[in-house]
Amino acid sequence: MLRQFLWFIMIACAVSAALPNHASAQSSAGGRIADIKVDGTQRIEPETVISYLTVKIGDAFDTQAIDASLKALFVTGLFADVTLTRDGSTLLVKVVENPIINRVAFEGNKRVETTKLTDEVQLKSRTVYTRTKVQADVKRILEVYRRSGRFAATVDPKIIKLDQNRVDLVFEISEGPTTGISHITFIGNHYFDTDTLLGQLQTRETHWYRFLSSDDNYDPDRVTYDRELLRRFYLKSGYADFRVLSAAAELAPDHNSFYLTFTIEEGERYHIGKVDVKSSIKDLDSETLLFLVPEHTGDWYNADAIENTVKGLTEIVGSKGYAFAEVEPDIQRDRENHAINVTFDIREGPKVYVERIDITGNVRTLDSVIRREFRLVEGDAFNTARLRRSERRLKDLNFFKKVDVTNIAGSQPDRTIIQAKVQEQSTGQLSVGAGYSTTAGILGQFGVQERNLLGRGQNLNLSLTLAQYESQADLSFTEPYFLNRDVAAAGDIFHTTRNLQQYSSFDESSTGAAFSLGYNITERLRHTVRYTIRQDDITNVLYTASQYIQDEEGNTIVSQIGEDFFYDQLDSRLEPHNGYYLSEGNDVAGLGGNVHYLRSRAKVGYYYPLTAKITLSLRGEAGHITSFNGEPIRINDRFFLGGDNLRGFKIGGAGPKDTCSGDELGGNLYYSTTAELQFPLGLPEELGVTGRVFTDAGSSTYVDPPKNNAPIAGATCPVAVVEDSGVLRASAGFGVSWKSPFGPIRIDVAKPYLKDVNDETEFFRFSFGTKF
């Protein structure tokens, strides 16, 4: 017993000796705290230190309470070291303050701007330095580099000690090379080959021509998004049971790239079985709505199409006055027959009203600019279709990098709050460019544009184009909501010059101003009224020119009022692949000035996707101009056919012509049609290269008699000899377009197969850069 007791005493002494001098606390049992003294403070007042303690004067010397005080001081992040000891009835608190950061610097960052790294880190000048915060900032910096594809980047934080317990914090960065994707492999794909699936991903394999893109850098977030893209692709192709089992990234032996492997399970392909519409809403005819459903028995199942049908039915039912109607697709799998039966269930949803609309993320753009795009306001009956349409309108503004419009529960069960979160992007643009086109020749361009002036949604644009044959200066301003109404008011001041010697032996210039008001009659139909006043000058008329042109040399004042109707059912105005548009416009000149005419023009276009990447388009246009005071229509107001609107023919080369002088005269009537098939050329999609085959057809005809029918003495062509057959012209050809980093490049090769004997043809047409 005595030996065991002695061993216990020795072990206890050893443990006590092993404890450090700055242990959590030292105390002996009994007694109360009569005083608290603080030592080691420089910037922090002792009273502040005492306020963080969990023990106060008069409390007992309790080990657990003093340990809690020690932890409370460390939690503040203000101290590098803390010691609590007892001296009689006094509690001694000794602290070592963390230094203050004088400045934060970055060294070695060439690929990532310093401002971006400064915004990312949490430590700033005049904040307290702690090792924990430094390590957290190191992780943040590494994450920035990983998002840009540099997984080999390293960050080494260094501190430079200064006087007064200050330090400079320097992050030494070794960026390393970009970590690309050497190879992407798919396991489990039987119905689609690897090339087809690669085309669905945002991630790309590394190749030399992708030097302007970061899609070939490994990014885990992008790979996660690729999983969703694959799922969507298979679901819209009929594979309702598709799953991505895994997406594994393996670092290559050289540590400079990754091997990416998607393991998938395709499942069976389903077609549409029975399609039905059921409605529990009185006076809503299910049979009529079923007729509007595009899905039919035997079609391949398409999840995207089902979703679009739900949206379409919701809009149709909502337009009939059922604001609270809900459309839910009931999907029933028939695995034995590989069919999916779809029933669109329409029922009256709970009556919910918009309580308020909250907008966040807009720093520069005014709230009113965002609110006016909403198809819902506070107090309206909530409607999902209108909410989605509001989101689409915000995205179409092109003011924001991201737009997310959602709704959450309101203060009461029948209230909902709409939340609009936006992320602004730059709306100013400075452009300097050069190019070449068959029409304009060598050209240069300078432009300054602000699409969201002062955050009010206004558009200010100044453009200057100097070209070999055509030049233009234009200053325009657009107020999209004039007088706080959904009316776009625009003003435009312009000056243009054109050298037409190669076509019609004269030069033309035009200087003037235009004003317009545009508004939506419906969501898809827009009406615009405009007024233009300009001075047109016809100069440098050659002595060999046609009598028509010589009669019209000089200047005229045109005072013109016009209107346009535009109906849009396109999926995109910039690159349409599906839908159609209709356009009709009229101009009347003669409300002042010395030119009098009535001009009408109509256009139509239809786009049909044969596949996801092949689009058939059918387009047509026609125009007519007539004088209402007996004066002949001037040459600069007539329609010229050829060039872009009838490929294979020179500008004006497929219409009336003075066969003596060789001048193209244009016509008072014209029409043209185009059938075009656009398709990929098998090159990587990110190169932006597409091909097309086309056929154009049209004609231009009718020219008023010249003012002076008498022969001109001494002229090369004393009288005009007009050839105006009005016959149909047609051509066929192919072309290539490339969205190059230096501007759009377009090449067309066309050969006429229907033409008149005196027509001027053009086999090759090329444009690079700005398009007039």
Side-chain angles (χ1 to χ4, degrees), residues 104-107 109-124 141 144-145 147 173 175:
V104 178
F106 303 90
E107 293 182 356
N109 56 309
K110 298 179 180 178
R111 302 294 180 180
V112 180
E113 296 180 357
T114 298
T115 55
K116 185 174 182 179
L117 295 176
T118 301
D119 293 339
E120 192 71 26
V121 298
Q122 299 298 309
L123 288 172
K124 310 289 183 184
I141 296 172
V144 171
Y145 277 96
R147 289 199 299 265
I173 301 172
E175 295 182 318

Side-chain angles (χ1 to χ4, degrees), residues 16-123:
S16 299
L19 292 174
N21 293 331
H22 60 278
S24 62
Q26 293 180 2
S27 68
S28 60
R32 294 187 175 276
I33 300 173
D35 192 16
I36 300 176
K37 291 185 178 180
V38 179
D39 184 31
T41 56
Q42 298 180 12
R43 301 181 311 275
I44 304 171
E45 295 294 331
E47 291 78 8
T48 303
V49 177
I50 293 173
S51 68
Y52 289 126
L53 299 175
T54 61
V55 294
K56 306 297 180 185
I57 294 177
D59 291 349
F61 277 98
D62 180 72
T63 303
Q64 293 183 349
I66 293 176
D67 280 343
S69 296
L70 178 72
K71 294 176 182 178
L73 289 175
F74 273 115
V75 167
T76 64
L78 299 174
F79 309 106
D81 195 13
V82 178
T83 303
L84 301 183
T85 59
R86 178 178 179 177
D87 183 10
S89 61
T90 301
L91 178 63
L92 301 179
V93 181
K94 186 175 182 180
V95 297
V96 178
E97 293 182 358
N98 277 322
I100 292 294
I101 295 176
N102 178 59
R103 70 184 183 96
V104 178
F106 303 90
E107 293 182 356
N109 56 309
K110 298 179 180 178
R111 302 294 180 180
V112 180
E113 296 180 357
T114 298
T115 55
K116 185 174 182 179
L117 295 176
T118 301
D119 293 339
E120 192 71 26
V121 298
Q122 299 298 309
L123 288 172

Side-chain angles (χ1 to χ4, degrees), residues 358-549:
D358 294 337
I359 301 172
T360 58
N362 55 315
V363 177
R364 184 164 167 268
T365 306
L366 300 180
D367 270 17
S368 58
V369 173
I370 298 175
R371 287 182 181 276
R372 68 196 185 191
E373 299 302 326
F374 272 86
R375 303 297 92 182
L376 292 165
V377 297
E378 283 87 349
D380 279 356
F382 178 74
N383 185 288
T384 303
R386 290 187 178 184
L387 187 69
R388 297 279 72 82
R389 191 154 61 245
S390 301
E391 183 178 33
R392 185 170 64 246
R393 288 173 63 91
L394 285 176
K395 290 179 179 179
D396 289 344
L397 289 176
N398 201 23
F399 296 165
F400 310 108
K401 185 183 299 183
K402 292 182 180 179
V403 176
D404 184 23
V405 179
T406 58
N407 66 294
I408 61 174
S411 59
Q412 299 180 20
D414 63 343
R415 298 288 186 268
T416 187
I417 298 172
I418 296 176
Q419 294 182 329
K421 299 178 182 179
V422 300
Q423 182 180 346
E424 293 182 323
Q425 63 181 1
S426 174
T427 54
Q429 181 177 354
L430 173 66
S431 61
V432 179
Y436 174 83
S437 75
T438 308
T439 303
I442 300 173
L443 60 90
Q445 185 191 44
F446 171 82
V448 178
Q449 183 182 22
E450 173 53 61
R451 294 180 286 104
N452 188 14
L453 186 65
L454 302 177
R456 300 177 180 273
Q458 299 163 335
N459 189 324
L460 180 64
N461 183 36
L462 171 64
S463 64
L464 176 65
T465 303
L466 299 176
Q468 189 174 359
Y469 303 118
E470 297 184 19
S471 297
Q472 175 178 328
D474 194 304
L475 175 64
S476 64
F477 175 79
T478 302
E479 168 54 71
Y481 276 77
F482 185 58
L483 298 178
N484 292 323
R485 297 181 178 275
D486 192 5
V487 176
D492 190 17
I493 301 174
F494 59 87
H495 175 73
T496 61
T497 61
R498 294 198 302 165
N499 182 341
L500 299 174
Q501 298 290 342
Q502 57 181 327
Y503 303 115
S504 298
S505 303
F506 72 95
D507 293 341
E508 175 192 20
S509 66
S510 182
T511 304
F515 310 92
S516 67
L517 292 173
Y519 61 94
N520 281 348
I521 299 176
T522 67
E523 189 72 21
R524 296 288 187 173
L525 178 61
R526 188 167 184 82
H527 182 227
T528 302
V529 293
R530 47 191 159 74
Y531 173 74
T532 304
I533 184 167
R534 70 178 192 268
Q535 176 177 303
D536 295 337
D537 294 296
I538 293 179
T539 58
N540 296 332
V541 177
L542 299 181
Y543 73 93
T544 57
S546 169
Q547 183 177 344
Y548 279 90
I549 300 173

Side-chain angles (χ1 to χ4, degrees), residues 71-359:
K71 294 176 182 178
L73 289 175
F74 273 115
V75 167
T76 64
L78 299 174
F79 309 106
D81 195 13
V82 178
T83 303
L84 301 183
T85 59
R86 178 178 179 177
D87 183 10
S89 61
T90 301
L91 178 63
L92 301 179
V93 181
K94 186 175 182 180
V95 297
V96 178
E97 293 182 358
N98 277 322
I100 292 294
I101 295 176
N102 178 59
R103 70 184 183 96
V104 178
F106 303 90
E107 293 182 356
N109 56 309
K110 298 179 180 178
R111 302 294 180 180
V112 180
E113 296 180 357
T114 298
T115 55
K116 185 174 182 179
L117 295 176
T118 301
D119 293 339
E120 192 71 26
V121 298
Q122 299 298 309
L123 288 172
K124 310 289 183 184
S125 176
R126 296 186 295 277
T127 59
V128 177
Y129 169 90
T130 68
R131 291 183 180 180
T132 302
K133 291 181 179 180
V134 170
Q135 293 304 317
D137 279 346
V138 167
K139 292 180 180 180
R140 290 187 180 96
I141 296 172
L142 290 174
E143 183 60 29
V144 171
Y145 277 96
R146 285 170 181 164
R147 289 199 299 265
S148 62
R150 296 181 180 272
F151 280 76
T154 60
V155 180
D156 187 14
K158 298 291 181 66
I159 60 170
I160 301 173
K161 294 185 178 180
L162 305 174
D163 57 358
Q164 298 178 355
N165 199 24
R166 296 177 303 132
V167 295
D168 285 342
L169 175 60
V170 180
F171 291 101
E172 295 182 354
I173 301 172
S174 175
E175 295 182 318
T178 56
T179 312
I181 305 292
S182 294
H183 192 63
I184 301 176
T185 304
F186 297 91
I187 298 176
N189 57 311
H190 304 290
Y191 297 100
F192 294 102
D193 58 26
T194 297
D195 290 340
T196 300
L197 297 183
L198 284 174
Q200 309 307 316
L201 303 181
Q202 186 177 356
T203 302
R204 303 297 184 187
E205 294 179 349
T206 301
H207 290 291
W208 65 268
Y209 51 78
R210 293 197 171 103
F211 63 95
L212 294 175
S213 171
S214 62
D215 288 344
D216 58 343
N217 297 334
Y218 175 67
D219 184 345
D221 293 336
R222 188 186 295 130
V223 173
T224 301
Y225 181 57
D226 286 334
R227 295 172 64 117
E228 177 63 16
L229 292 177
L230 284 173
R231 190 187 71 85
R232 292 180 185 177
F233 171 70
Y234 270 92
L235 286 180
K236 73 179 182 181
S237 301
Y239 297 90
D241 298 329
F242 172 80
R243 292 190 303 159
V244 178
L245 301 179
S246 67
E250 180 183 357
L251 192 62
D254 59 4
H255 289 192
N256 290 329
S257 62
F258 279 91
Y259 300 127
L260 187 58
T261 303
F262 290 92
T263 303
I264 63 177
E265 183 180 287
E266 293 179 322
E268 297 295 335
R269 192 178 189 187
Y270 290 81
H271 62 265
I272 297 293
K274 297 179 181 179
V275 181
D276 196 10
V277 174
K278 291 183 178 180
S279 173
S280 59
I281 301 176
K282 187 179 179 181
D283 300 329
L284 197 59
D285 185 13
S286 301
E287 294 298 327
T288 302
L289 294 176
L290 180 59
F291 180 75
L292 300 175
V293 173
E295 283 79 18
H296 298 92
T297 300
D299 294 344
W300 290 116
Y301 172 75
N302 186 330
D304 287 352
I306 297 294
E307 183 178 351
N308 291 334
T309 300
V310 170
K311 293 178 180 178
L313 288 175
T314 302
E315 291 189 11
I316 292 171
V317 174
S319 66
K320 294 180 179 294
Y322 300 96
F324 304 104
E326 293 182 348
V327 180
E328 291 290 339
D330 182 13
I331 307 296
Q332 298 292 335
R333 283 179 173 82
D334 182 355
R335 299 185 184 278
E336 183 178 349
N337 298 312
H338 298 157
I340 291 181
N341 302 320
V342 184
T343 301
F344 296 97
D345 188 10
I346 304 174
R347 58 181 179 272
E348 188 75 27
K351 293 185 177 182
V352 179
Y353 299 89
V354 178
E355 180 175 347
R356 69 175 187 269
I357 299 175
D358 294 337
I359 301 172

